[in-house]
Amino acid sequence: MIAINEFFVAAFALIGAFFSIVAALGLIRLPDVYTRAHAASKSATLGVMSILISVILFFVTEEGLFSSRTFLGILFVLTTAPIGSHLIARAAYYSDVPLWKGSVQDDLSKNKEHVTPKKRSTRK
């Protein structure tokens, strides 16, 4: 493998490791569910995608093989991680999980249909 390819593989792997560490620190240090979900979705997604890009570059340059599974893994992480994080934060909001005391804006409280979740019908 030539030096320029090694540089790109190492750069993407280091970027991915950096974002993964940032995501882990964000999960530990941030104060509430909503900011933790943001850290988990943004940083972890970028970290995993960068590492998988380095894997693709390594195998294309070293072995001459393109792994469609790795590419599909990138697409899967890109689509599912932000959607899952959004749904977790939305469920927390509807379950009345309190915002952090230092939060300055609550956009969903302005919309009256989002303030109280719709009651489920109970069958007897």
Side-chain angles (χ1 to χ4, degrees), residues 55-81:
V55 168
I56 286 177
L57 289 175
F58 175 77
F59 280 109
V60 165
T61 57
E62 184 71 24
E63 304 279 331
L65 300 171
F66 177 75
S67 174
S68 61
R69 290 182 184 175
T70 309
F71 182 71
L72 288 175
I74 290 172
L75 291 178
F76 182 74
V77 168
L78 180 66
T79 56
T80 58

PDB file of all heavy atoms in Angstrom, residues 55-81:
ATOM      1  N   VAL A  55     -12.181   1.438   6.720  1.00  0.00           N
ATOM      2  CA  VAL A  55     -12.178  -0.001   6.408  1.00  0.00           C
ATOM      3  C   VAL A  55     -12.349  -0.216   4.908  1.00  0.00           C
ATOM      4  O   VAL A  55     -11.641  -1.029   4.299  1.00  0.00           O
ATOM      5  CB  VAL A  55     -13.289  -0.729   7.202  1.00  0.00           C
ATOM      6  CG1 VAL A  55     -13.509  -2.132   6.686  1.00  0.00           C
ATOM      7  CG2 VAL A  55     -12.948  -0.755   8.679  1.00  0.00           C
ATOM      8  N   ILE A  56     -13.293   0.517   4.309  1.00  0.00           N
ATOM      9  CA  ILE A  56     -13.489   0.392   2.859  1.00  0.00           C
ATOM     10  C   ILE A  56     -12.222   0.790   2.105  1.00  0.00           C
ATOM     11  O   ILE A  56     -11.777   0.078   1.193  1.00  0.00           O
ATOM     12  CB  ILE A  56     -14.685   1.250   2.398  1.00  0.00           C
ATOM     13  CG1 ILE A  56     -15.993   0.597   2.823  1.00  0.00           C
ATOM     14  CG2 ILE A  56     -14.674   1.434   0.886  1.00  0.00           C
ATOM     15  CD1 ILE A  56     -17.227   1.411   2.481  1.00  0.00           C
ATOM     16  N   LEU A  57     -11.616   1.918   2.480  1.00  0.00           N
ATOM     17  CA  LEU A  57     -10.393   2.360   1.809  1.00  0.00           C
ATOM     18  C   LEU A  57      -9.263   1.351   1.976  1.00  0.00           C
ATOM     19  O   LEU A  57      -8.505   1.089   1.029  1.00  0.00           O
ATOM     20  CB  LEU A  57      -9.961   3.727   2.338  1.00  0.00           C
ATOM     21  CG  LEU A  57     -10.812   4.915   1.943  1.00  0.00           C
ATOM     22  CD1 LEU A  57     -10.315   6.174   2.645  1.00  0.00           C
ATOM     23  CD2 LEU A  57     -10.802   5.092   0.440  1.00  0.00           C
ATOM     24  N   PHE A  58      -9.140   0.773   3.159  1.00  0.00           N
ATOM     25  CA  PHE A  58      -8.079  -0.204   3.390  1.00  0.00           C
ATOM     26  C   PHE A  58      -8.249  -1.422   2.494  1.00  0.00           C
ATOM     27  O   PHE A  58      -7.300  -1.865   1.836  1.00  0.00           O
ATOM     28  CB  PHE A  58      -8.051  -0.632   4.863  1.00  0.00           C
ATOM     29  CG  PHE A  58      -7.058  -1.722   5.143  1.00  0.00           C
ATOM     30  CD1 PHE A  58      -5.717  -1.443   5.238  1.00  0.00           C
ATOM     31  CD2 PHE A  58      -7.482  -3.036   5.274  1.00  0.00           C
ATOM     32  CE1 PHE A  58      -4.793  -2.442   5.489  1.00  0.00           C
ATOM     33  CE2 PHE A  58      -6.570  -4.048   5.523  1.00  0.00           C
ATOM     34  CZ  PHE A  58      -5.226  -3.754   5.626  1.00  0.00           C
ATOM     35  N   PHE A  59      -9.447  -1.980   2.444  1.00  0.00           N
ATOM     36  CA  PHE A  59      -9.637  -3.198   1.664  1.00  0.00           C
ATOM     37  C   PHE A  59      -9.612  -2.939   0.159  1.00  0.00           C
ATOM     38  O   PHE A  59      -9.208  -3.814  -0.605  1.00  0.00           O
ATOM     39  CB  PHE A  59     -10.929  -3.914   2.075  1.00  0.00           C
ATOM     40  CG  PHE A  59     -10.750  -4.719   3.327  1.00  0.00           C
ATOM     41  CD1 PHE A  59     -11.338  -4.314   4.498  1.00  0.00           C
ATOM     42  CD2 PHE A  59      -9.977  -5.860   3.330  1.00  0.00           C
ATOM     43  CE1 PHE A  59     -11.170  -5.035   5.665  1.00  0.00           C
ATOM     44  CE2 PHE A  59      -9.788  -6.597   4.489  1.00  0.00           C
ATOM     45  CZ  PHE A  59     -10.389  -6.186   5.657  1.00  0.00           C
ATOM     46  N   VAL A  60     -10.023  -1.756  -0.264  1.00  0.00           N
ATOM     47  CA  VAL A  60      -9.942  -1.447  -1.693  1.00  0.00           C
ATOM     48  C   VAL A  60      -8.487  -1.301  -2.109  1.00  0.00           C
ATOM     49  O   VAL A  60      -8.070  -1.806  -3.160  1.00  0.00           O
ATOM     50  CB  VAL A  60     -10.758  -0.175  -2.028  1.00  0.00           C
ATOM     51  CG1 VAL A  60     -10.397   0.366  -3.395  1.00  0.00           C
ATOM     52  CG2 VAL A  60     -12.238  -0.478  -1.955  1.00  0.00           C
ATOM     53  N   THR A  61      -7.671  -0.624  -1.292  1.00  0.00           N
ATOM     54  CA  THR A  61      -6.272  -0.395  -1.685  1.00  0.00           C
ATOM     55  C   THR A  61      -5.383  -1.599  -1.405  1.00  0.00           C
ATOM     56  O   THR A  61      -4.465  -1.872  -2.174  1.00  0.00           O
ATOM     57  CB  THR A  61      -5.703   0.831  -0.958  1.00  0.00           C
ATOM     58  OG1 THR A  61      -5.831   0.639   0.448  1.00  0.00           O
ATOM     59  CG2 THR A  61      -6.427   2.090  -1.380  1.00  0.00           C
ATOM     60  N   GLU A  62      -5.624  -2.318  -0.327  1.00  0.00           N
ATOM     61  CA  GLU A  62      -4.754  -3.434   0.057  1.00  0.00           C
ATOM     62  C   GLU A  62      -5.113  -4.723  -0.680  1.00  0.00           C
ATOM     63  O   GLU A  62      -4.254  -5.392  -1.234  1.00  0.00           O
ATOM     64  CB  GLU A  62      -4.839  -3.650   1.566  1.00  0.00           C
ATOM     65  CG  GLU A  62      -3.910  -4.707   2.107  1.00  0.00           C
ATOM     66  CD  GLU A  62      -2.458  -4.295   2.080  1.00  0.00           C
ATOM     67  OE1 GLU A  62      -2.174  -3.092   2.078  1.00  0.00           O
ATOM     68  OE2 GLU A  62      -1.599  -5.196   2.052  1.00  0.00           O
ATOM     69  N   GLU A  63      -6.394  -5.079  -0.657  1.00  0.00           N
ATOM     70  CA  GLU A  63      -6.825  -6.351  -1.220  1.00  0.00           C
ATOM     71  C   GLU A  63      -7.425  -6.219  -2.615  1.00  0.00           C
ATOM     72  O   GLU A  63      -7.587  -7.208  -3.308  1.00  0.00           O
ATOM     73  CB  GLU A  63      -7.881  -6.987  -0.300  1.00  0.00           C
ATOM     74  CG  GLU A  63      -7.436  -7.184   1.128  1.00  0.00           C
ATOM     75  CD  GLU A  63      -6.593  -8.423   1.305  1.00  0.00           C
ATOM     76  OE1 GLU A  63      -6.795  -9.376   0.539  1.00  0.00           O
ATOM     77  OE2 GLU A  63      -5.745  -8.416   2.206  1.00  0.00           O
ATOM     78  N   GLY A  64      -7.826  -5.004  -2.971  1.00  0.00           N
ATOM     79  CA  GLY A  64      -8.488  -4.817  -4.245  1.00  0.00           C
ATOM     80  C   GLY A  64      -9.943  -5.254  -4.220  1.00  0.00           C
ATOM     81  O   GLY A  64     -10.528  -5.534  -5.257  1.00  0.00           O
ATOM     82  N   LEU A  65     -10.528  -5.345  -3.030  1.00  0.00           N
ATOM     83  CA  LEU A  65     -11.909  -5.785  -2.874  1.00  0.00           C
ATOM     84  C   LEU A  65     -12.778  -4.654  -2.350  1.00  0.00           C
ATOM     85  O   LEU A  65     -12.385  -3.924  -1.444  1.00  0.00           O
ATOM     86  CB  LEU A  65     -11.990  -6.957  -1.882  1.00  0.00           C
ATOM     87  CG  LEU A  65     -11.203  -8.207  -2.236  1.00  0.00           C
ATOM     88  CD1 LEU A  65     -11.209  -9.177  -1.083  1.00  0.00           C
ATOM     89  CD2 LEU A  65     -11.792  -8.848  -3.469  1.00  0.00           C
ATOM     90  N   PHE A  66     -13.965  -4.539  -2.911  1.00  0.00           N
ATOM     91  CA  PHE A  66     -14.943  -3.586  -2.401  1.00  0.00           C
ATOM     92  C   PHE A  66     -15.990  -4.364  -1.620  1.00  0.00           C
ATOM     93  O   PHE A  66     -16.620  -5.275  -2.136  1.00  0.00           O
ATOM     94  CB  PHE A  66     -15.610  -2.813  -3.542  1.00  0.00           C
ATOM     95  CG  PHE A  66     -16.685  -1.876  -3.062  1.00  0.00           C
ATOM     96  CD1 PHE A  66     -16.338  -0.697  -2.439  1.00  0.00           C
ATOM     97  CD2 PHE A  66     -18.020  -2.198  -3.212  1.00  0.00           C
ATOM     98  CE1 PHE A  66     -17.317   0.167  -1.987  1.00  0.00           C
ATOM     99  CE2 PHE A  66     -19.000  -1.346  -2.771  1.00  0.00           C
ATOM    100  CZ  PHE A  66     -18.653  -0.168  -2.152  1.00  0.00           C
ATOM    101  N   SER A  67     -16.166  -3.991  -0.363  1.00  0.00           N
ATOM    102  CA  SER A  67     -17.117  -4.690   0.495  1.00  0.00           C
ATOM    103  C   SER A  67     -18.450  -3.951   0.487  1.00  0.00           C
ATOM    104  O   SER A  67     -18.582  -2.874   1.063  1.00  0.00           O
ATOM    105  CB  SER A  67     -16.568  -4.772   1.924  1.00  0.00           C
ATOM    106  OG  SER A  67     -17.537  -5.333   2.776  1.00  0.00           O
ATOM    107  N   SER A  68     -19.420  -4.555  -0.161  1.00  0.00           N
ATOM    108  CA  SER A  68     -20.746  -3.938  -0.187  1.00  0.00           C
ATOM    109  C   SER A  68     -21.403  -3.999   1.189  1.00  0.00           C
ATOM    110  O   SER A  68     -22.236  -3.158   1.516  1.00  0.00           O
ATOM    111  CB  SER A  68     -21.629  -4.615  -1.228  1.00  0.00           C
ATOM    112  OG  SER A  68     -21.787  -5.982  -0.914  1.00  0.00           O
ATOM    113  N   ARG A  69     -21.032  -4.961   2.009  1.00  0.00           N
ATOM    114  CA  ARG A  69     -21.584  -5.052   3.366  1.00  0.00           C
ATOM    115  C   ARG A  69     -21.154  -3.865   4.219  1.00  0.00           C
ATOM    116  O   ARG A  69     -21.937  -3.345   5.006  1.00  0.00           O
ATOM    117  CB  ARG A  69     -21.149  -6.349   4.035  1.00  0.00           C
ATOM    118  CG  ARG A  69     -21.793  -7.557   3.444  1.00  0.00           C
ATOM    119  CD  ARG A  69     -21.360  -8.797   4.174  1.00  0.00           C
ATOM    120  NE  ARG A  69     -21.910  -9.974   3.525  1.00  0.00           N
ATOM    121  CZ  ARG A  69     -21.631 -11.193   3.881  1.00  0.00           C
ATOM    122  NH1 ARG A  69     -20.797 -11.407   4.881  1.00  0.00           N
ATOM    123  NH2 ARG A  69     -22.180 -12.207   3.247  1.00  0.00           N
ATOM    124  N   THR A  70     -19.920  -3.454   4.065  1.00  0.00           N
ATOM    125  CA  THR A  70     -19.449  -2.286   4.809  1.00  0.00           C
ATOM    126  C   THR A  70     -20.155  -1.032   4.329  1.00  0.00           C
ATOM    127  O   THR A  70     -20.540  -0.177   5.129  1.00  0.00           O
ATOM    128  CB  THR A  70     -17.930  -2.132   4.655  1.00  0.00           C
ATOM    129  OG1 THR A  70     -17.297  -3.375   4.962  1.00  0.00           O
ATOM    130  CG2 THR A  70     -17.391  -1.065   5.580  1.00  0.00           C
ATOM    131  N   PHE A  71     -20.347  -0.920   3.030  1.00  0.00           N
ATOM    132  CA  PHE A  71     -21.077   0.232   2.488  1.00  0.00           C
ATOM    133  C   PHE A  71     -22.522   0.230   2.981  1.00  0.00           C
ATOM    134  O   PHE A  71     -23.063   1.275   3.358  1.00  0.00           O
ATOM    135  CB  PHE A  71     -21.029   0.206   0.961  1.00  0.00           C
ATOM    136  CG  PHE A  71     -21.701   1.377   0.320  1.00  0.00           C
ATOM    137  CD1 PHE A  71     -21.135   2.638   0.388  1.00  0.00           C
ATOM    138  CD2 PHE A  71     -22.915   1.218  -0.334  1.00  0.00           C
ATOM    139  CE1 PHE A  71     -21.755   3.727  -0.187  1.00  0.00           C
ATOM    140  CE2 PHE A  71     -23.546   2.297  -0.909  1.00  0.00           C
ATOM    141  CZ  PHE A  71     -22.964   3.552  -0.840  1.00  0.00           C
ATOM    142  N   LEU A  72     -23.151  -0.924   3.023  1.00  0.00           N
ATOM    143  CA  LEU A  72     -24.508  -1.015   3.553  1.00  0.00           C
ATOM    144  C   LEU A  72     -24.533  -0.719   5.053  1.00  0.00           C
ATOM    145  O   LEU A  72     -25.509  -0.164   5.557  1.00  0.00           O
ATOM    146  CB  LEU A  72     -25.097  -2.393   3.273  1.00  0.00           C
ATOM    147  CG  LEU A  72     -25.457  -2.666   1.812  1.00  0.00           C
ATOM    148  CD1 LEU A  72     -25.906  -4.107   1.640  1.00  0.00           C
ATOM    149  CD2 LEU A  72     -26.514  -1.707   1.328  1.00  0.00           C
ATOM    150  N   GLY A  73     -23.469  -1.072   5.756  1.00  0.00           N
ATOM    151  CA  GLY A  73     -23.366  -0.719   7.171  1.00  0.00           C
ATOM    152  C   GLY A  73     -23.327   0.781   7.369  1.00  0.00           C
ATOM    153  O   GLY A  73     -23.949   1.313   8.303  1.00  0.00           O
ATOM    154  N   ILE A  74     -22.624   1.485   6.497  1.00  0.00           N
ATOM    155  CA  ILE A  74     -22.584   2.953   6.563  1.00  0.00           C
ATOM    156  C   ILE A  74     -23.983   3.517   6.336  1.00  0.00           C
ATOM    157  O   ILE A  74     -24.441   4.390   7.083  1.00  0.00           O
ATOM    158  CB  ILE A  74     -21.589   3.519   5.533  1.00  0.00           C
ATOM    159  CG1 ILE A  74     -20.158   3.186   5.938  1.00  0.00           C
ATOM    160  CG2 ILE A  74     -21.747   5.025   5.376  1.00  0.00           C
ATOM    161  CD1 ILE A  74     -19.136   3.537   4.894  1.00  0.00           C
ATOM    162  N   LEU A  75     -24.670   3.034   5.323  1.00  0.00           N
ATOM    163  CA  LEU A  75     -26.025   3.521   5.051  1.00  0.00           C
ATOM    164  C   LEU A  75     -26.978   3.210   6.198  1.00  0.00           C
ATOM    165  O   LEU A  75     -27.824   4.033   6.552  1.00  0.00           O
ATOM    166  CB  LEU A  75     -26.546   2.922   3.748  1.00  0.00           C
ATOM    167  CG  LEU A  75     -25.879   3.399   2.467  1.00  0.00           C
ATOM    168  CD1 LEU A  75     -26.479   2.679   1.261  1.00  0.00           C
ATOM    169  CD2 LEU A  75     -26.026   4.888   2.316  1.00  0.00           C
ATOM    170  N   PHE A  76     -26.837   2.019   6.783  1.00  0.00           N
ATOM    171  CA  PHE A  76     -27.706   1.628   7.891  1.00  0.00           C
ATOM    172  C   PHE A  76     -27.491   2.529   9.099  1.00  0.00           C
ATOM    173  O   PHE A  76     -28.447   3.011   9.705  1.00  0.00           O
ATOM    174  CB  PHE A  76     -27.431   0.163   8.259  1.00  0.00           C
ATOM    175  CG  PHE A  76     -28.301  -0.352   9.358  1.00  0.00           C
ATOM    176  CD1 PHE A  76     -29.628  -0.641   9.123  1.00  0.00           C
ATOM    177  CD2 PHE A  76     -27.788  -0.534  10.625  1.00  0.00           C
ATOM    178  CE1 PHE A  76     -30.442  -1.115  10.140  1.00  0.00           C
ATOM    179  CE2 PHE A  76     -28.587  -1.001  11.650  1.00  0.00           C
ATOM    180  CZ  PHE A  76     -29.919  -1.292  11.404  1.00  0.00           C
ATOM    181  N   VAL A  77     -26.240   2.778   9.454  1.00  0.00           N
ATOM    182  CA  VAL A  77     -25.940   3.660  10.591  1.00  0.00           C
ATOM    183  C   VAL A  77     -26.394   5.077  10.296  1.00  0.00           C
ATOM    184  O   VAL A  77     -26.947   5.760  11.168  1.00  0.00           O
ATOM    185  CB  VAL A  77     -24.435   3.602  10.928  1.00  0.00           C
ATOM    186  CG1 VAL A  77     -24.037   4.694  11.889  1.00  0.00           C
ATOM    187  CG2 VAL A  77     -24.071   2.250  11.498  1.00  0.00           C
ATOM    188  N   LEU A  78     -26.201   5.531   9.074  1.00  0.00           N
ATOM    189  CA  LEU A  78     -26.592   6.883   8.698  1.00  0.00           C
ATOM    190  C   LEU A  78     -28.097   7.094   8.818  1.00  0.00           C
ATOM    191  O   LEU A  78     -28.547   8.163   9.193  1.00  0.00           O
ATOM    192  CB  LEU A  78     -26.138   7.187   7.263  1.00  0.00           C
ATOM    193  CG  LEU A  78     -26.478   8.565   6.714  1.00  0.00           C
ATOM    194  CD1 LEU A  78     -25.727   9.639   7.491  1.00  0.00           C
ATOM    195  CD2 LEU A  78     -26.127   8.642   5.244  1.00  0.00           C
ATOM    196  N   THR A  79     -28.872   6.075   8.525  1.00  0.00           N
ATOM    197  CA  THR A  79     -30.323   6.238   8.582  1.00  0.00           C
ATOM    198  C   THR A  79     -30.910   5.908   9.948  1.00  0.00           C
ATOM    199  O   THR A  79     -31.842   6.576  10.388  1.00  0.00           O
ATOM    200  CB  THR A  79     -31.013   5.365   7.520  1.00  0.00           C
ATOM    201  OG1 THR A  79     -30.628   4.006   7.702  1.00  0.00           O
ATOM    202  CG2 THR A  79     -30.662   5.823   6.129  1.00  0.00           C
ATOM    203  N   THR A  80     -30.407   4.912  10.629  1.00  0.00           N
ATOM    204  CA  THR A  80     -31.067   4.463  11.861  1.00  0.00           C
ATOM    205  C   THR A  80     -30.643   5.221  13.112  1.00  0.00           C
ATOM    206  O   THR A  80     -31.476   5.414  14.002  1.00  0.00           O
ATOM    207  CB  THR A  80     -30.835   2.967  12.092  1.00  0.00           C
ATOM    208  OG1 THR A  80     -29.429   2.711  12.160  1.00  0.00           O
ATOM    209  CG2 THR A  80     -31.467   2.142  11.004  1.00  0.00           C
ATOM    210  N   ALA A  81     -29.414   5.637  13.228  1.00  0.00           N
ATOM    211  CA  ALA A  81     -28.959   6.281  14.466  1.00  0.00           C
ATOM    212  C   ALA A  81     -29.663   7.618  14.727  1.00  0.00           C
ATOM    213  O   ALA A  81     -30.178   7.825  15.830  1.00  0.00           O
ATOM    214  CB  ALA A  81     -27.439   6.448  14.454  1.00  0.00           C
TER     215      ALA A  81
END
